[in-house]
Amino acid sequence: MDLGYYNARVRGMRRRLLKADDYHVLVKSAGCDGLTERLKSTVYGPYLEVSGARFDQPLDIISNALSARLEEALVSLWSLSPAPARPALKQVFSRWEAHDIKAIIRGISKGVRREDILGALIPAGEFGKGPLGVLAGSPGIKELAGFLDAW
């Protein structure tokens, strides 16, 4: 299996990641406002703008922007991956899928609103926004287990 094209795409995505020096600068930022200003000059800038339109609190803006960027990267990795590479990538994504399912179970068992549950999830692999929305909308744990069993 030739993964040259996929490897090149992944390397291109990797170049957009923050470097160790970037983290040192970010850690020295003065509060959320300073952190937001420094992140605006990175790949996270557009995500901060979108999050700023949805949220009022600086910490919510930053958190949502980081999550949105991660979600986009994971979706890109999955959609670009050739079929022979998917089993290996699925192993990597299974961590996120398990996190999401546990968050849904906890949310449903505590009576958390569907929208709030969805805000805690990072869609990855086969569990994209659609399937996670269905799972998070389950009226109870028994129904959630039924959905998962059908999957």
Side-chain angles (χ1 to χ4, degrees):
M1 134 177 78
D2 180 22
L3 297 176
Y5 174 75
Y6 186 62
N7 277 337
R9 294 293 302 258
V10 171
R11 274 192 229 112
M13 291 173 72
R14 187 172 183 211
R15 280 195 288 269
R16 297 178 67 190
L17 294 173
L18 297 175
K19 310 293 183 272
D21 292 342
D22 298 324
Y23 283 107
H24 294 300
V25 170
L26 292 172
V27 167
K28 294 177 184 176
S29 300
C32 287
D33 291 332
L35 181 60
T36 301
E37 285 306 312
R38 290 184 189 265
L39 281 173
K40 282 183 181 178
S41 65
T42 69
V43 69
Y44 296 98
Y47 300 93
L48 288 165
E49 288 183 33
V50 171
S51 294
R54 292 182 57 209
F55 298 97
D56 296 327
Q57 299 300 317
L59 193 54
D60 292 335
I61 293 169
I62 294 168
S63 177
N64 184 265
L66 296 176
S67 294
R69 174 65 185 120
L70 175 60
E71 177 184 335
E72 184 179 282
L74 294 176
V75 167
S76 292
L77 284 171
W78 184 256
S79 65
L80 292 171
S81 67
R86 288 228 169 139
L89 193 56
K90 183 152 179 59
Q91 293 299 314
V92 174
F93 283 0
S94 66
R95 175 182 184 270
W96 295 107
E97 291 172 339
H99 167 273
D100 289 341
I101 291 171
K102 288 190 311 187
I104 291 170
I105 291 169
R106 288 180 184 132
I108 290 172
S109 69
K110 295 185 187 285
V112 175
R113 294 177 338 144
R114 179 180 180 269
E115 294 77 24
D116 293 334
I117 294 172
L118 290 173
L121 307 179
I122 304 287
E126 295 175 343
F127 281 104
K129 282 186 176 184
L132 289 176
V134 170
L135 295 175
S138 301
I141 300 297
K142 187 174 182 177
E143 293 81 6
L144 173 64
F147 282 135
L148 288 172
D149 186 43
W151 240 290

